[in-house]
Amino acid sequence: MSTADRRAREKARRRREILAAARQEFFERGFHHPTVDDVAARAEVSKGTIYLYFESKEEILAHLLLEGLDLLLEEMEAACEPESAQSPEQALRYLANAYLRFCQENPSYFRLIMAFDRGRFEESISRKLHSKVLNQSLRGLDLLARTVERGAELGEFHAADPWQAAGSVWASLNGVLVLMAHPLRQRLLRSDLETMFQATLDLVVRGLQDGSHR
Amino acid sequence: MSTADRRAREKARRRREILAAARQEFFERGFHHPTVDDVAARAEVSKGTIYLYFESKEEILAHLLLEGLDLLLEEMEAACEPESAQSPEQALRYLANAYLRFCQENPSYFRLIMAFDRGRFEESISRKLHSKVLNQSLRGLDLLARTVERGAELGEFHAADPWQAAGSVWASLNGVLVLMAHPLRQRLLRSDLETMFQATLDLVVRGLQDGSHR
Amino acid sequence: MSTADRRAREKARRRREILAAARQEFFERGFHHPTVDDVAARAEVSKGTIYLYFESKEEILAHLLLEGLDLLLEEMEAACEPESAQSPEQALRYLANAYLRFCQENPSYFRLIMAFDRGRFEESISRKLHSKVLNQSLRGLDLLARTVERGAELGEFHAADPWQAAGSVWASLNGVLVLMAHPLRQRLLRSDLETMFQATLDLVVRGLQDGSHR
Amino acid sequence: MSTADRRAREKARRRREILAAARQEFFERGFHHPTVDDVAARAEVSKGTIYLYFESKEEILAHLLLEGLDLLLEEMEAACEPESAQSPEQALRYLANAYLRFCQENPSYFRLIMAFDRGRFEESISRKLHSKVLNQSLRGLDLLARTVERGAELGEFHAADPWQAAGSVWASLNGVLVLMAHPLRQRLLRSDLETMFQATLDLVVRGLQDGSHR
DNA sequence: TATGAATGAGTTTTCATTCAT
DNA sequence: TATGAATGAAAACTCATTCAT
């Protein structure tokens, strides 16, 4: 067993090393520029070895994406940790800000997450991995939905369908992050990501709190 | 003159034909798959001819993008046409719905517009064309901002900075369109684009109307 | 006739204009870079017109070469003009220096002449034009040979075969021009074209004057 | 070790095979005509493999050039081997004849060496390779200069600056080789390379021996 | 005579992936 | 398990020349 164990451990370590090398390459030089050779060189293994641990180049990127999602989820979960202690609005704001911080601190992961949406990814990675990514990417929405739901139960939010409302919130925040990713739009709107993000958050929170119907 | 005229007309027609062929290829097979050869074959001209009318493959895509933006802007402008006759809320809803319709009816143009954001486009098209695209892409935001401003002046919206508010609204709507572009997310949220879009629109409109501050 | 005359004159003028445009393009940007389009643009005629006046791109270059040779020959002929008035040595030195001046003042023509030697020229121009170039390029040698011959007759040079001797002289002078064309070799030999050329000229003149046989 | 050794050996062999294939292609069909595909086909490897062993097409040519220079230098060094045993004149003649033989036996290498002078070579090969070529191409001149110097010290040659004199000799011999490379000029001068070369060699040797100043 | 639109063969280089060792 | 040599499809762009008008 001990031998098998060590083998497995070493295998896992090697895999992590390759992933780390890929992360550096892709984050430093863009998602398209680095070649498998570049990654192999950085990981100090041969090109063939890469294919021993990953099916394809795209799968490596998918795994990095998964990493990013894990990190994001972790931070979002931490943000609404002592759940009961926070008001739903507070929790919503914490969640949103956790997302904002994550994007600011990990712009490359954010770009990767956004790139996943419209990419040839889906065509070129295994079905299993693809659904893994999708699942993970929905957990954030889930956290949001639960918070909205709690707010609705407490009468603080007016949302007939918490999932839908969570979708709206998520879409709005995401939209700002994408919108402000472009420096030119920051200039045009004479604003920065931080300000814009908070303004949008305020806007949707007010929308959730206001029960009036047109 | 007649000769020169006919020449110019035929040149313009040929250009349109190439653009049409490119549109078909790119919209049917994705923005990355088709080669210049494919476009040439579809347009029934030689590859060299393509380069007589367009500087590069990327410029063709940029011109398609411009087409899409023109179309979108046209529809948005039509939507708020008899400006004075509409309440700001009404105008905002019309604008938003014009955007929604456009995206539903021209999903490929929408994908192209979204794709433009993050891409090597900027590096590979002429500066002039690039700024043309940017300019056009900002006019939608401008329409929105003017509407918000009118609402603020009439006291119907509470927005200290109309441009910022317009940015929030635009970002939110855009966010929904992107979010729901993925069928899997539609399923998960047990909703469809239409519903989700209207819900988000409601949310932000309520947010604009509600003057309370937390 | 007058009409035909004018036509012919205009045709000749147009031809010269194209040649002038080609000269500028090729001399400024190298013999390989400019395209037929570039030449046409410079001459302010259409590309098709170029082919009305010249068979091919290579033929244009050949005509420029011919121009260069004409110029060179003119100067060499001027150099030994009042033939009888000069000593053969003097005449030889004048001839050589005419060549040197020509190369210094028309480095592009010189490069073109050298390029003709080893080039695909021969393959791609008409036989007639090719022999015209060859003929012309031999007239310099002829001048040299006649001077050597005169020297031999006067007993100042010792040359059993004046043509052969002229060939040697010509080859040597040419060799220096080529050798010193490269700045790196100028540096290595710690000399410049002028000095080296005169030194070589001295060397061969002494060789011609010295009747000793090993 | 054995494995690594064999690998290295095979790699070197493959490289030699590619170079041999390139040599055949380039020497048979001209330096410009063959494509990388042609070389690959001749070497019976895929096109990609070529680029595994050489950076570019130009680098292949540069390596062939280097081969040629190595060969030439070898023969020139052999020619003045038992240095002390020869008179300077003898040594000079041996050197010159070694050069002549090389050019006669390896006309393609000679053409390549001449072609290197003026060409886009310098722009398209690595700096390191380029200086390697330059270095090698100067060693011939160096041998000549040392011989002339010895002759000057012994009083047999009159050369104030041995390097300059060597330059003159080298230029002259080179000039003949270039001049006579063209069959048409051989015909015109009613001479052949061999005769012309010896005549020119005689001329410059006499020039070196004669100390008179005009 | 002049135009200029159209052609399309031609060429280098890249790189994900495979597979013999 | 690891290597790294080999593959070969792919793809954008150029430009001399032709020819209908």
Side-chain angles (χ1 to χ4, degrees):
Chain A
M1 304 312 105
S2 156
T3 311
D5 272 8
R6 200 188 56 233
R7 281 235 172 117
R9 245 187 355 253
E10 282 185 358
K11 186 155 184 173
R13 181 159 54 78
R14 175 63 57 99
R15 195 189 152 89
R16 275 198 309 276
E17 284 168 3
I18 292 173
L19 218 44
R23 195 185 314 120
Q24 290 169 41
E25 284 291 318
F26 288 127
F27 285 10
E28 283 175 18
R29 302 176 47 215
F31 302 139
H32 293 282
H33 280 141
T35 68
V36 175
D37 266 300
D38 293 331
V39 174
R42 190 100 166 210
E44 294 179 313
V45 297
S46 80
K47 185 159 37 174
T49 303
I50 300 280
Y51 285 88
L52 245 35
Y53 289 87
F54 297 92
E55 301 260 311
S56 71
K57 193 190 179 185
E58 308 298 316
E59 292 244 3
I60 300 181
L61 270 168
H63 277 284
L64 289 178
L65 170 57
L66 224 40
E67 265 186 15
L69 289 173
D70 284 346
L71 192 54
L72 170 58
L73 260 297
E74 218 171 88
E75 301 201 1
M76 286 180 74
E77 267 160 359
C80 52
E81 193 58 352
E83 195 180 307
S84 50
Q86 305 173 28
S87 75
E89 182 188 339
Q90 203 53 261
L92 192 64
R93 289 183 184 276
Y94 279 179
L95 266 175
N97 277 292
Y99 190 20
L100 174 62
R101 293 304 154 237
F102 170 81
C103 297
Q104 286 174 321
E105 282 160 24
N106 307 280
S108 289
Y109 274 134
F110 175 66
R111 280 206 315 274
L112 190 53
I113 290 170
M114 290 298 106
F116 179 74
D117 248 59
R118 21 158 311 284
R120 41 284 234 77
F121 257 156
E122 328 189 6
E123 305 158 12
S124 40
I125 63 176
S126 71
R127 181 161 297 283
K128 196 180 148 192
L129 184 56
H130 188 241
S131 63
K132 218 167 168 181
V133 170
L134 279 178
N135 258 352
Q136 192 68 320
S137 78
L138 294 171
R139 285 186 42 215
L141 209 45
D142 187 54
L143 285 177
L144 217 50
R146 291 217 310 263
T147 303
V148 172
E149 198 167 26
R150 192 154 63 88
E153 283 164 3
L154 294 178
E156 297 188 16
F157 292 158
H158 298 91
D161 179 343
W163 274 89
Q164 190 172 79
S168 291
V169 174
W170 185 260
S172 303
L173 299 179
N174 227 48
V176 180
L177 289 163
V178 171
L179 189 77
M180 301 302 278
H182 219 297
L184 276 143
R185 277 191 295 249
Q186 300 207 9
R187 229 182 302 155
L188 182 99
L189 292 170
R190 275 183 232 108
S191 188
D192 57 25
L193 174 55
E194 181 74 41
T195 311
M196 202 72 190
F197 189 88
Q198 301 303 343
T200 307
L201 181 54
D202 284 349
L203 187 74
V204 297
V205 165
R206 283 205 307 271
L208 280 175
Q209 290 169 335
D210 176 13
S212 74
H213 293 271
R214 69 218 102 109
Chain B
M1 298 311 107
S2 160
T3 310
D5 273 6
R6 201 189 50 234
R7 277 235 168 122
R9 242 183 1 248
E10 283 184 358
K11 190 153 184 171
R13 181 159 55 78
R14 177 56 60 97
R15 195 190 153 89
R16 276 197 309 275
E17 284 168 4
I18 292 174
L19 217 44
R23 198 184 311 120
Q24 288 169 42
E25 283 290 318
F26 288 130
F27 284 8
E28 283 174 19
R29 302 177 46 215
F31 304 136
H32 294 281
H33 280 139
T35 69
V36 174
D37 267 299
D38 293 331
V39 174
R42 189 100 169 210
E44 293 180 312
V45 297
S46 79
K47 197 188 349 215
T49 303
I50 300 283
Y51 285 91
L52 236 41
Y53 289 86
F54 296 93
E55 303 257 312
S56 70
K57 192 189 178 184
E58 311 297 317
E59 293 245 323
I60 300 181
L61 270 168
H63 277 283
L64 289 178
L65 171 57
L66 221 41
E67 266 186 14
L69 289 173
D70 284 346
L71 194 53
L72 169 59
L73 260 297
E74 218 172 87
E75 303 202 359
M76 287 180 72
E77 267 158 1
C80 53
E81 194 58 352
E83 195 180 307
S84 50
Q86 305 173 27
S87 75
E89 183 190 339
Q90 202 54 259
L92 192 65
R93 288 184 184 276
Y94 280 178
L95 266 175
N97 277 292
Y99 191 20
L100 174 62
R101 292 304 154 239
F102 170 82
C103 296
Q104 285 175 322
E105 282 159 25
N106 308 279
S108 289
Y109 274 133
F110 175 66
R111 281 207 315 275
L112 188 53
I113 292 170
M114 288 300 105
F116 179 73
D117 246 58
R118 6 149 299 97
R120 46 270 251 88
F121 255 157
E122 330 191 3
E123 305 156 11
S124 40
I125 64 177
S126 72
R127 182 161 297 285
K128 197 182 150 191
L129 186 55
H130 187 240
S131 65
K132 221 168 168 180
V133 170
L134 279 179
N135 259 352
Q136 192 69 317
S137 77
L138 294 171
R139 285 187 40 216
L141 207 46
D142 187 55
L143 285 177
L144 218 50
R146 291 218 307 263
T147 303
V148 171
E149 199 166 24
R150 192 155 61 87
E153 283 163 3
L154 295 176
E156 295 187 18
F157 292 157
H158 299 91
D161 178 345
W163 273 88
Q164 191 172 81
S168 289
V169 174
W170 185 259
S172 303
L173 299 178
N174 228 47
V176 180
L177 289 163
V178 170
L179 187 77
M180 302 302 279
H182 222 296
L184 278 142
R185 277 190 296 246
Q186 299 206 9
R187 227 180 304 155
L188 183 100
L189 290 170
R190 275 182 233 109
S191 187
D192 57 25
L193 174 55
E194 182 72 44
T195 312
M196 202 71 191
F197 189 86
Q198 300 303 345
T200 308
L201 181 54
D202 284 350
L203 188 72
V204 296
V205 166
R206 283 204 308 270
L208 279 174
Q209 291 170 332
D210 176 13
S212 75
H213 293 270
R214 75 218 97 109
Chain C
M1 302 314 106
S2 156
T3 311
D5 273 9
R6 201 189 54 234
R7 281 237 171 117
R9 243 185 359 251
E10 283 185 357
K11 187 155 180 171
R13 181 160 53 79
R14 176 62 56 98
R15 196 190 152 87
R16 275 199 309 277
E17 284 167 4
I18 292 173
L19 218 44
R23 195 185 314 119
Q24 288 168 41
E25 283 291 318
F26 288 128
F27 283 11
E28 282 175 17
R29 303 175 46 214
F31 303 139
H32 293 281
H33 280 141
T35 69
V36 175
D37 266 300
D38 293 331
V39 174
R42 191 101 168 209
E44 293 179 316
V45 298
S46 79
K47 185 159 38 174
T49 302
I50 301 282
Y51 284 88
L52 244 37
Y53 291 86
F54 296 92
E55 302 259 312
S56 71
K57 192 188 178 186
E58 308 299 317
E59 293 243 3
I60 300 180
L61 271 168
H63 278 283
L64 289 178
L65 170 56
L66 223 40
E67 265 187 17
L69 290 173
D70 284 347
L71 192 55
L72 170 57
L73 260 297
E74 218 172 87
E75 303 202 359
M76 286 181 73
E77 268 159 0
C80 51
E81 195 56 353
E83 195 179 307
S84 51
Q86 305 172 28
S87 75
E89 182 188 340
Q90 203 54 259
L92 190 66
R93 289 184 183 275
Y94 279 179
L95 266 175
N97 276 292
Y99 190 20
L100 173 64
R101 293 301 157 240
F102 171 81
C103 296
Q104 285 175 323
E105 281 160 26
N106 307 280
S108 289
Y109 275 133
F110 175 65
R111 280 208 313 276
L112 189 53
I113 291 170
M114 289 299 107
F116 179 74
D117 247 58
R118 24 158 310 283
R120 39 292 229 73
F121 259 154
E122 329 191 4
E123 305 158 14
S124 41
I125 64 177
S126 71
R127 182 160 297 285
K128 194 181 150 193
L129 184 56
H130 188 240
S131 65
K132 218 167 168 181
V133 170
L134 279 177
N135 259 351
Q136 191 69 317
S137 77
L138 294 170
R139 286 187 41 216
L141 209 45
D142 186 55
L143 285 177
L144 217 51
R146 291 217 310 264
T147 304
V148 172
E149 198 167 23
R150 192 156 61 88
E153 284 163 2
L154 295 177
E156 296 189 17
F157 293 157
H158 299 91
D161 178 344
W163 273 90
Q164 190 172 81
S168 290
V169 174
W170 185 259
S172 303
L173 299 179
N174 227 48
V176 181
L177 289 164
V178 169
L179 187 78
M180 301 303 276
H182 219 299
L184 276 143
R185 278 190 295 247
Q186 299 207 11
R187 226 180 306 153
L188 182 100
L189 291 170
R190 273 181 234 112
S191 188
D192 56 26
L193 173 57
E194 182 73 43
T195 311
M196 202 71 191
F197 189 89
Q198 301 302 345
T200 307
L201 181 54
D202 285 349
L203 188 72
V204 296
V205 166
R206 284 204 308 270
L208 279 173
Q209 292 170 333
D210 176 13
S212 74
H213 294 269
R214 74 215 98 110
Chain D
M1 300 310 106
S2 160
T3 309
D5 272 6
R6 200 188 51 234
R7 278 236 168 120
R9 241 186 357 252
E10 284 184 357
K11 189 153 186 171
R13 180 158 55 79
R14 178 56 60 98
R15 194 190 153 90
R16 275 196 310 274
E17 283 168 6
I18 292 174
L19 218 44
R23 197 184 311 120
Q24 289 169 40
E25 283 292 316
F26 288 129
F27 284 8
E28 282 175 19
R29 301 179 45 216
F31 303 137
H32 294 282
H33 280 141
T35 69
V36 174
D37 267 300
D38 293 331
V39 174
R42 189 100 170 210
E44 293 180 314
V45 298
S46 80
K47 195 180 357 204
T49 302
I50 301 283
Y51 285 91
L52 237 40
Y53 289 85
F54 296 94
E55 303 256 312
S56 71
K57 191 188 177 184
E58 310 298 318
E59 293 246 320
I60 300 181
L61 270 168
H63 276 283
L64 289 178
L65 170 57
L66 220 42
E67 266 185 15
L69 289 173
D70 284 346
L71 193 54
L72 169 58
L73 259 297
E74 216 172 89
E75 302 201 0
M76 286 181 72
E77 267 159 0
C80 52
E81 193 58 351
E83 193 180 309
S84 50
Q86 306 173 27
S87 76
E89 182 189 338
Q90 203 53 260
L92 191 65
R93 290 184 182 277
Y94 279 178
L95 266 176
N97 277 293
Y99 190 18
L100 173 63
R101 293 302 154 239
F102 170 81
C103 296
Q104 285 175 322
E105 281 160 26
N106 308 280
S108 289
Y109 274 134
F110 176 64
R111 280 207 317 277
L112 188 53
I113 290 170
M114 288 299 105
F116 179 74
D117 246 57
R118 4 149 298 99
R120 45 268 253 91
F121 254 157
E122 328 191 4
E123 305 157 12
S124 40
I125 63 176
S126 72
R127 181 161 298 285
K128 198 182 150 191
L129 186 55
H130 187 240
S131 65
K132 220 167 166 180
V133 170
L134 279 179
N135 258 352
Q136 192 69 318
S137 78
L138 295 171
R139 285 187 40 215
L141 207 46
D142 187 56
L143 285 176
L144 218 50
R146 291 219 307 264
T147 303
V148 172
E149 197 166 25
R150 193 155 60 90
E153 283 164 3
L154 295 176
E156 297 187 15
F157 292 157
H158 300 90
D161 178 344
W163 273 90
Q164 190 173 81
S168 289
V169 174
W170 184 258
S172 302
L173 300 179
N174 228 47
V176 181
L177 289 163
V178 170
L179 187 78
M180 301 304 276
H182 222 296
L184 277 142
R185 276 189 297 246
Q186 299 206 10
R187 228 179 305 154
L188 182 101
L189 290 169
R190 274 181 234 111
S191 185
D192 57 24
L193 174 55
E194 181 72 42
T195 311
M196 201 71 189
F197 189 88
Q198 300 304 343
T200 308
L201 181 53
D202 284 349
L203 188 73
V204 296
V205 166
R206 284 205 306 271
L208 279 174
Q209 291 169 335
D210 177 14
S212 74
H213 293 270
R214 73 217 101 112

